[in-house]
């Protein structure tokens, strides 16, 4: 079956504003999330992803408010992640207008959370975000990639390929595979990492981290990505969603 590849802008939200950096550092302001979301909806985004990068308990209400206002403005599926620790957190985000919820750190700490969310709301609601980086030497995992937390700053020693496969078995509906090495570098997605994970999971895979040119999106799709996600190239108008989709079509990739 041919899969239509989705193009997804990602909004990293900190205290109600969209921010973007390189390897999660030197963050700079990229605008108002509601305005950006409305623009991307109009430009033809297939979905939108919101990541609350500060995700402190004090910032929760800001996030719910931004999600509510965004959901009122857009007509494409909205995934929200950051600080989700319980099924009740998922319930609140869905009630605020999210269609799917992204989980990362809490699932690493307690993998049963994946099954609990899938059982209560259905797998289609759950996107597992995997922030992975290459590791060598003594810390090397079997695949050569490890799961990280805290914006890529803290290694877990968990093999990223094994974790993605385990999460899919536990009930994750999609896996957002984010290369921490490539994040914000605009030099292309980590296709080797993607190729390592792709055969191990049957659920949709979203490629994230490193997009800089329209060719990069097409390459990820040809490597088996079901969706391609990017932030800075869209926020700072380096590329438009139309540019990316046009190039992907020319490369023979099915897009909406």
């Amino acid at each position: 079956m041919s899969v239509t590849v989705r193009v997804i802008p990602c909004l990293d939200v900190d205290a109600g504003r969209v921010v973007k950096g390189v390897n999660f550092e030197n963050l700079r302001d990229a605008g108002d999330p509601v305005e950006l979301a409305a623009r991307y909806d109009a430009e033809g985004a297939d979905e939108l992803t919101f990541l609350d990068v500060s995700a402190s308990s004090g910032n929760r209400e800001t996030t719910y408010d931004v999600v509510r206002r965004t959901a009122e403005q857009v007509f494409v599926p909205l995934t929200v992640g950051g600080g989700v620790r319980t099924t009740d957190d998922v319930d609140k985000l869905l009630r605020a207008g999210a269609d799917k919820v992204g989980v990362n750190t809490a699932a690493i700490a307690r993998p049963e959370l994946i099954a609990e969310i899938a059982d209560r709301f259905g797998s289609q609601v759950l996107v597992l975000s995997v922030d992975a980086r290459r590791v060598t030497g003594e810390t090397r995992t079997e695949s050569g990639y490890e799961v990280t937390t805290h914006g890529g700053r803290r290694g877990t020693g968990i093999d990223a390929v094994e974790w993605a496969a385990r999460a899919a078995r536990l009930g994750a509906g999609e896996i957002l595979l984010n290369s921490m090495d490539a994040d914000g570098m605009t030099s292309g997605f980590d296709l080797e990492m993607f190729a390592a994970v792709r055969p191990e999971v049957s659920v949709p895979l979203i490629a994230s981290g490193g997009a800089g040119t329209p060719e990069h999106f097409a390459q990820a799709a040809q490597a088996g990505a079901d969706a391609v996600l990017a932030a800075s190239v869209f926020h700072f108008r380096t590329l438009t969603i139309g540019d990316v989709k046009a190039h992907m079509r020319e490369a023979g990739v099915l897009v909406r």
Side-chain angles (χ1 to χ4, degrees), residues 1 7 17 28 47 76 98 111 122 157 169 206-207 215 222 231 234:
M1 187 179 79
V7 177
R17 297 290 293 179
R28 54 183 175 140
E47 294 186 13
V76 294
R169 289 195 301 272
I206 305 166
E215 288 80 9
Q222 288 158 346
F234 293 140

Side-chain angles (χ1 to χ4, degrees), residues 12-19 33 51-56 59 62-63 66:
D12 295 317
V13 180
D14 184 2
R17 297 290 293 179
V18 177
V19 295
L51 296 177
D52 176 3
V53 294
S54 46
S56 65
N59 207 30
T62 303
T63 303
V66 171

